[in-house]
Amino acid sequence: MLFKIFRKNHTTADIKLADNNQLGALKLAAQKTAEEFNLDSQSVQSSLFASAAQDPTILENRVAYMFVTSDKKHKAHTMTLTFKEPVAWGNDKIPVDYLIVGVLPDGSSPDDIDHLNQKISSKISENSDKLDEIRFNDTELNKLNQSFTE
């Protein structure tokens, strides 16, 4: 008999931000990531803000990706959020409707970080024509999120 192990959904879809701006999106992402992975919210927020200040990766002109590290994690995880209304991101005000937060163990090597970056980048590119549909579909969003760390 085959058993399938179900992983927890680390996604939140169709978020309507009270303040539809990058700061509001980062604060919410930090809160959600800390809750989902049982991490210190202030540490996650500080790390996300530092990551955002260093030109975050923007994929397909609509997906912001950044990562945090934690001594409580032993393997890579991701949290994906989608926004009801795009958020003007960075100095170029790119309309972002997806935000992906990678959570990596403290001490991750540059190769580990690059591997996660490449996996996320390739999965977003592969699904670029479906991002509008995936954005509001919890099941498909969860599948996309899980594909980043499979």
Side-chain angles (χ1 to χ4, degrees):
M1 176 179 271
L2 294 175
F3 292 96
K4 182 168 182 157
I5 297 173
F6 292 95
R7 295 197 292 176
K8 186 173 179 182
N9 298 344
H10 298 299
T11 59
T12 303
D14 203 22
I15 298 167
K16 182 166 177 42
L17 293 169
D19 295 322
N20 195 38
N21 58 42
Q22 184 175 344
L23 181 61
L26 287 169
K27 285 181 179 179
L28 180 67
Q31 174 195 342
K32 293 280 188 189
T33 301
E35 287 171 5
E36 285 288 318
F37 298 108
N38 196 28
L39 303 173
D40 177 69
S41 60
Q42 189 58 50
S43 296
V44 173
Q45 183 171 310
S46 295
S47 190
L48 277 183
F49 281 27
S51 186
Q54 299 176 3
D55 293 328
T57 302
I58 304 291
L59 307 167
E60 299 297 323
N61 290 315
R62 67 184 293 180
V63 179
Y65 166 66
M66 52 198 64
F67 71 90
V68 300
T69 59
S70 171
D71 61 356
K72 291 185 175 184
K73 294 296 156 198
H74 304 291
K75 66 177 195 151
H77 298 275
T78 54
M79 172 81 190
T80 301
L81 300 94
T82 66
F83 303 109
K84 188 174 213 55
E85 299 295 327
V87 175
W89 207 270
N91 293 333
D92 296 331
K93 305 292 185 210
I94 296 167
V96 164
D97 54 359
Y98 277 77
L99 175 55
I100 301 168
V101 178
V103 180
L104 293 155
D106 273 349
S108 292
S109 71
D111 287 343
D112 292 336
I113 295 166
D114 287 345
H115 177 74
L116 183 59
N117 291 351
Q118 288 300 320
K119 187 82 172 202
I120 290 170
S121 182
S122 71
K123 291 297 180 181
I124 292 296
S125 292
E126 286 172 25
N127 290 284
S128 64
D129 61 334
K130 299 179 219 145
L131 290 175
D132 283 334
E133 298 142 34
I134 293 171
R135 187 172 128 192
F136 302 115
N137 182 319
D138 288 332
T139 301
E140 293 303 313
L141 185 60
N142 186 48
K143 287 179 187 174
L144 177 65
N145 187 66
Q146 287 181 2
S147 74
F148 302 146
T149 56
E150 289 178 333

